[in-house]
Amino acid sequence: MKIGLFDSGLGGLLITQAISARLPEHEYLYLGDTARVPYGNRSQATVLEFTTEAVTYLFGQGCDLIIIACNTASAEALRSLQQRWLPKHYPDRRILGVLVPAAEAAAAATKSKKVGVLATRGTVTSGTFDRELKVLDPAIEVVSSAAPLLVPLVEYDGLEWAEPILERYLAPLHDVDTLILGCTHYPYLKAVIRDMVGKDVEVISQDEVVPDKLADYISRHPELGGPSTQPAQRRYLVTDQTDDAVRIARELAGQPIALELVTL
Amino acid sequence: MKIGLFDSGLGGLLITQAISARLPEHEYLYLGDTARVPYGNRSQATVLEFTTEAVTYLFGQGCDLIIIACNTASAEALRSLQQRWLPKHYPDRRILGVLVPAAEAAAAATKSKKVGVLATRGTVTSGTFDRELKVLDPAIEVVSSAAPLLVPLVEYDGLEWAEPILERYLAPLHDVDTLILGCTHYPYLKAVIRDMVGKDVEVISQDEVVPDKLADYISRHPELGGPSTQPAQRRYLVTDQTDDAVRIARELAGQPIALELVTL
């Protein structure tokens, strides 16, 4: 199977590494919209427009399954995209997001039924985590906090200032027992966040949750295709190419990777 | 005259207010590419592509003179755009940037001939301030510092953390006697920066420099047109519309303004 992974930028590389390590028998095509990153503060209409272009491109490249690795795009565009590529019309094409696996893990973990969500403004405003958690368990109370400065801190060498800034963003979430890190960049902050919230709070990080959920999904959907004939194939496409992108990609992927420039 | 002002986002609103207050007899059309902001970390090719679309749009709306209020776009696209719309072929259309006025002010102010530039990574990498300052005075030595976190701090309510972050960005500029704030957002930080560098350093802020230079330019170019027949006309166009954009626009402009959504 050829699996497409889409993120607004390069933040999705970590979850891509986690997924391809868990499911090495498939081929992977990553697409980062680095010409228009970040999506977190854009309108729902614009996020849907950009994400539709990306998904159309990835299906055009022969992907069988596309993971929207960007939480903002998952929150604001996934449902519309799934309606556009309905399984009954496109039985061999599927689009998945990263919110539901995180919501499922949080619903399973919470005892107090108070779950916190730390995410971009777009994701928080969409209310998608709230809805998904309440579908799983109507008793769950969700407290969300928008954290617009965290992505720039991760991308632009600002981690030394993360703690005081996180203090403000975590303050509204003080009485939850489970905390979802609802943005593709936040796994890079999980150690500091776990330190700050203490061990009584279960921190749900998508890179630790999504690969197993995806493996399970794939095993239940053999119609999407078996192991790839080119399992070692890993390609990384971007819509803008800079020295900075190469550096960030290397840091996020944990190894140097070749970025290919494409136009959507 | 109908003056177009282009910025990658909403940061250009402050200089727009300063210019329109200094030259109230003209009509103003602001365009912020809020669907693709920020430009500061994108490649030169992408900045040129986006800025060309914006300038084409503003000329299509009848602007006689366009100010590229974004420093990154001025640094990376202005020369190409001026070549494309050569005055000899388009005698009634002109495109200006914001770097040259700031460079002129700095060249006039410096005594030690050491000038600092604080700007986005794109502007620093382009070397444009360096070149413009050396054209004015080859003896000037330029020290530049890229400050990728400052725009997010201004836009996302992060000013309380500006000082420690500025300390890192200002460190390489410790021995200059003149400092150019080379990004459209930085005037919002000029008070804290002036405090930090002390009164022996002349801080050049474009909102204080560009309006007079522009008034002088216009008086020398009567062929571009006289006072507008609709001098009170002020319109603000954006490529993406969110509640956040409305809030940021109000804060940056110092008053509520109506944003109109357009597609480039």
Side-chain angles (χ1 to χ4, degrees):
Chain A
M1 189 186 319
K2 186 166 179 176
I3 299 178
L5 289 127
F6 171 64
D7 184 45
S8 56
L10 299 168
L13 286 171
L14 180 81
I15 202 160
T16 299
Q17 304 294 311
I19 289 171
S20 60
R22 175 71 180 76
L23 294 160
E25 64 273 27
H26 300 292
E27 185 182 341
Y28 291 89
L29 183 62
Y30 182 91
L31 173 61
D33 190 11
T34 49
R36 302 187 292 198
V37 69
Y39 286 7
N41 298 290
R42 309 212 191 283
S43 68
Q44 195 266 340
T46 292
V47 170
L48 179 57
E49 180 193 330
F50 292 175
T51 308
T52 303
E53 288 175 19
V55 166
T56 304
Y57 183 91
L58 286 171
F59 278 140
Q61 296 291 310
C63 292
D64 306 292
L65 170 65
I66 294 173
I67 316 282
I68 309 290
C70 171
N71 281 266
T72 306
S74 290
E76 302 196 306
L78 182 64
R79 288 284 175 246
S80 296
L81 293 168
Q82 287 174 331
Q83 302 266 310
R84 185 165 168 164
W85 280 277
L86 277 177
K88 67 177 175 187
H89 298 133
Y90 301 93
D92 52 355
R93 292 183 168 184
R94 216 56 67 85
I95 311 171
L96 298 176
V98 287
L99 269 75
V100 171
E104 287 173 350
T110 184
K111 291 184 184 72
S112 71
K113 305 287 177 195
K114 286 201 79 170
V115 173
V117 175
L118 192 69
T120 64
R121 197 156 290 169
T123 301
V124 169
T125 306
S126 76
T128 307
F129 268 117
D130 216 314
R131 280 194 299 280
E132 296 292 352
L133 284 160
K134 289 212 158 77
V135 166
L136 294 164
D137 182 348
I140 289 178
E141 188 186 332
V142 183
V143 194
S144 297
S145 180
L149 285 169
L150 297 187
V151 170
L153 288 178
V154 171
E155 294 225 338
Y156 303 119
D157 196 19
L159 291 183
E160 71 178 276
W161 301 296
E163 212 169 309
I165 294 176
L166 273 167
E167 257 170 42
R168 188 207 280 174
Y169 294 148
L170 292 173
L173 311 177
H174 62 92
D175 64 349
V176 303
D177 77 342
T178 306
L179 172 61
I180 296 175
L181 304 188
C183 169
T184 315
H185 280 76
Y186 299 173
Y188 301 95
L189 296 163
K190 67 186 177 186
V192 57
I193 291 172
R194 282 188 169 128
D195 268 358
M196 290 176 73
V197 298
K199 59 182 174 359
D200 292 341
V201 177
E202 176 81 17
V203 174
I204 308 292
S205 188
Q206 287 164 333
D207 60 309
E208 299 165 2
V209 171
V210 170
D212 281 344
K213 299 263 185 194
L214 181 63
D216 181 53
Y217 180 90
I218 287 175
S219 72
R220 286 184 286 111
H221 291 274
E223 76 276 16
L224 293 173
S228 169
T229 52
Q230 296 189 289
Q233 183 88 276
R234 308 272 184 270
R235 288 177 62 206
Y236 304 91
L237 315 180
V238 290
T239 55
D240 190 26
Q241 174 83 282
T242 61
D243 291 346
D244 231 32
V246 172
R247 176 189 61 76
I248 293 169
R250 187 182 55 233
E251 287 172 12
L252 298 193
Q255 57 182 308
I257 58 174
L259 300 178
E260 302 170 41
L261 186 62
V262 297
T263 304
L264 296 188
Chain B
M1 190 186 319
K2 186 165 178 175
I3 299 178
L5 290 127
F6 170 64
D7 184 44
S8 56
L10 299 168
L13 287 170
L14 180 81
I15 202 160
T16 299
Q17 305 293 310
I19 289 172
S20 60
R22 174 71 181 75
L23 294 160
E25 66 273 27
H26 300 291
E27 186 181 341
Y28 291 90
L29 183 61
Y30 182 92
L31 172 61
D33 189 12
T34 49
R36 302 187 292 197
V37 71
Y39 285 8
N41 298 290
R42 309 213 191 282
S43 69
Q44 195 265 341
T46 293
V47 170
L48 178 57
E49 180 194 331
F50 291 175
T51 308
T52 303
E53 288 176 18
V55 166
T56 304
Y57 183 92
L58 286 170
F59 278 140
Q61 296 291 311
C63 291
D64 306 292
L65 171 64
I66 294 173
I67 317 281
I68 309 290
C70 171
N71 280 265
T72 305
S74 290
E76 302 197 304
L78 182 63
R79 288 284 174 247
S80 296
L81 293 168
Q82 287 174 332
Q83 302 265 311
R84 185 166 168 162
W85 279 276
L86 278 176
K88 67 177 174 186
H89 299 134
Y90 301 92
D92 51 356
R93 291 183 170 185
R94 215 57 64 88
I95 311 170
L96 299 175
V98 287
L99 269 75
V100 171
E104 287 173 350
T110 184
K111 290 183 185 71
S112 71
K113 306 287 178 195
K114 285 201 81 171
V115 174
V117 175
L118 191 71
T120 65
R121 197 156 288 169
T123 301
V124 169
T125 306
S126 77
T128 307
F129 268 117
D130 217 314
R131 281 194 299 279
E132 296 293 352
L133 284 161
K134 288 212 159 76
V135 165
L136 295 164
D137 182 347
I140 289 177
E141 188 186 332
V142 183
V143 194
S144 297
S145 179
L149 285 169
L150 297 187
V151 170
L153 288 178
V154 171
E155 294 225 338
Y156 304 119
D157 195 19
L159 291 183
E160 71 177 275
W161 301 297
E163 212 168 312
I165 294 175
L166 273 166
E167 257 170 43
R168 188 207 281 174
Y169 294 149
L170 291 173
L173 310 177
H174 62 91
D175 65 349
V176 304
D177 78 341
T178 305
L179 172 61
I180 296 175
L181 304 187
C183 170
T184 315
H185 280 76
Y186 298 174
Y188 301 95
L189 295 163
K190 67 187 177 186
V192 57
I193 291 173
R194 282 187 170 128
D195 268 358
M196 290 177 73
V197 297
K199 61 181 174 355
D200 293 341
V201 177
E202 177 82 17
V203 174
I204 308 292
S205 188
Q206 288 164 333
D207 60 309
E208 300 166 1
V209 170
V210 170
D212 281 344
K213 299 263 186 194
L214 181 63
D216 180 52
Y217 180 91
I218 287 175
S219 73
R220 287 184 287 110
H221 291 274
E223 75 277 16
L224 293 174
S228 168
T229 52
Q230 296 187 289
Q233 184 87 278
R234 309 271 183 269
R235 289 176 62 205
Y236 304 90
L237 315 181
V238 289
T239 54
D240 191 26
Q241 174 83 283
T242 60
D243 291 347
D244 231 32
V246 172
R247 176 189 62 76
I248 292 170
R250 187 182 56 233
E251 286 172 13
L252 298 192
Q255 58 183 308
I257 58 175
L259 300 178
E260 302 170 42
L261 186 62
V262 297
T263 304
L264 296 188

